[in-house]
Amino acid sequence: MARIGAARLSAEPSSPEQHDRRRRIVRAASRIGAEKPFERVQMHEVAKAAGVAIGTLYRYFPSKVHLFTGVMAAQVDRLRDQVTEPAPGTAPENAVADLLVQASRYLMAQPVLAASMLHASNTAHAATVADTVHIDNTFREILLRAVGIEEPTVQDVRLVRLLMQCWYGVLQLSLNGRASMADVESDVRLACELLLASRSNAS
C-alpha cells in the first residue's frame, strides 16, 4: 500500500522559482504516470525527469498519494479554465452531462494515469493532503457554474457532491474493465438527469 506521509504536510511554494519546480514535478509525474501504473512509479524517477533533487520532490509531495493527487488537482484546474458558459436555454442536466462526458473522454484517453489519479485521490485524507480540498472545491465550482448557480444552497452543494461521487464511481468501473465508455456516458447522463431534474423544474 502507498505511503501517505500522514506525519508531514506538503510544503506550499511561495516564489516563482518554487512554483516552477512544483509544476515541473507535476508534469513529469503526468508523463511517467501515463506509461506506468501507480505502484511502478518511482519517486526518484520523477525527480530526475523533473530536474529537481529528490529532497525537493518530497518537500512538495511527501508520498505518491500526494504526488498523484497533485496531478489530479492540476487536471481539474485545466478543466476549469476550459469550461465555457452553456448556451442560453440549455437544461442544467444537459450542460453538466456534456461537461462530464467531455472530461471523461479526456481522462480515459490516458487510462493508466487516470487510474493513478483516482486511486490517489480516493486514498488521500484531507487533513494531510491539501490538494484533496482543492479538487473538491474547484470541481464543485465547475459544476455549479455549468448549472448556472452563482449562490448555491446547501441542497445544491449536496446534489453536486453526490454527482461528483457518482462520476468517480462510474469512471472507476470503466478503468476496472466493468463498463465501456458508452456505459460511462449513458450512466453520467442518467445521473445528471436524476440529480438535477429539480433544477430544470425550478427554471
Side-chain angles (χ1 to χ4, degrees):
M1 180 174 291
R3 181 168 63 88
I4 301 179
R8 183 163 62 88
L9 293 171
S10 304
E12 288 297 323
S14 55
S15 69
E17 293 79 11
Q18 290 173 347
H19 279 284
D20 179 66
R21 282 194 287 271
R22 191 183 190 278
R23 281 193 294 269
R24 295 206 317 266
I25 292 169
V26 169
R27 286 196 296 267
S30 298
R31 291 194 303 272
I32 294 170
E35 300 174 354
K36 295 183 178 181
F38 184 87
E39 62 275 8
R40 289 184 53 207
V41 174
Q42 301 295 319
M43 297 292 267
H44 67 83
E45 179 182 19
V46 175
K48 182 178 179 179
V52 301
I54 187 67
T56 300
L57 187 152
Y58 277 114
R59 179 169 182 263
Y60 297 121
F61 303 103
S63 72
K64 280 197 287 185
V65 167
H66 288 80
L67 179 60
F68 281 97
T69 303
V71 172
M72 186 167 181
Q75 298 272 9
V76 171
D77 283 343
R78 190 173 298 114
L79 177 63
R80 177 193 57 199
D81 295 340
Q82 293 173 348
V83 170
T84 58
E85 296 297 327
T90 303
E93 63 268 29
N94 292 335
V96 174
D98 289 344
L99 170 65
L100 290 179
V101 165
Q102 177 186 354
S104 299
R105 291 172 179 169
Y106 177 78
L107 287 175
M108 299 304 287
Q110 294 185 306
V112 177
L113 180 59
S116 292
M117 291 190 295
L118 287 176
H119 169 76
S121 181
N122 290 332
T123 304
H125 193 286
T128 55
V129 187
D131 276 324
T132 57
V133 177
H134 178 77
I135 290 168
D136 290 346
N137 290 343
T138 304
F139 207 56
R140 182 170 62 243
E141 172 194 332
I142 291 169
L143 294 182
L144 288 171
R145 192 196 314 171
V147 177
I149 298 174
E150 295 182 0
E151 297 182 6
T153 64
V154 172
Q155 180 73 353
D156 291 330
V157 172
R158 184 175 293 120
L159 289 175
V160 166
R161 183 169 63 243
L162 285 171
L163 187 56
M164 288 166 57
Q165 293 306 313
C166 179
W167 183 58
Y168 289 151
V170 171
L171 287 179
Q172 191 64 64
L173 281 175
S174 182
L175 289 167
N176 291 344
R178 295 158 62 190
S180 67
M181 195 61 211
D183 292 329
V184 170
E185 296 187 12
S186 60
D187 288 355
V188 164
R189 291 191 182 281
L190 179 58
C192 290
E193 180 181 339
L194 294 173
L195 290 172
L196 300 176
S198 59
R199 265 297 171 182
S200 280
N201 295 335
S203 299

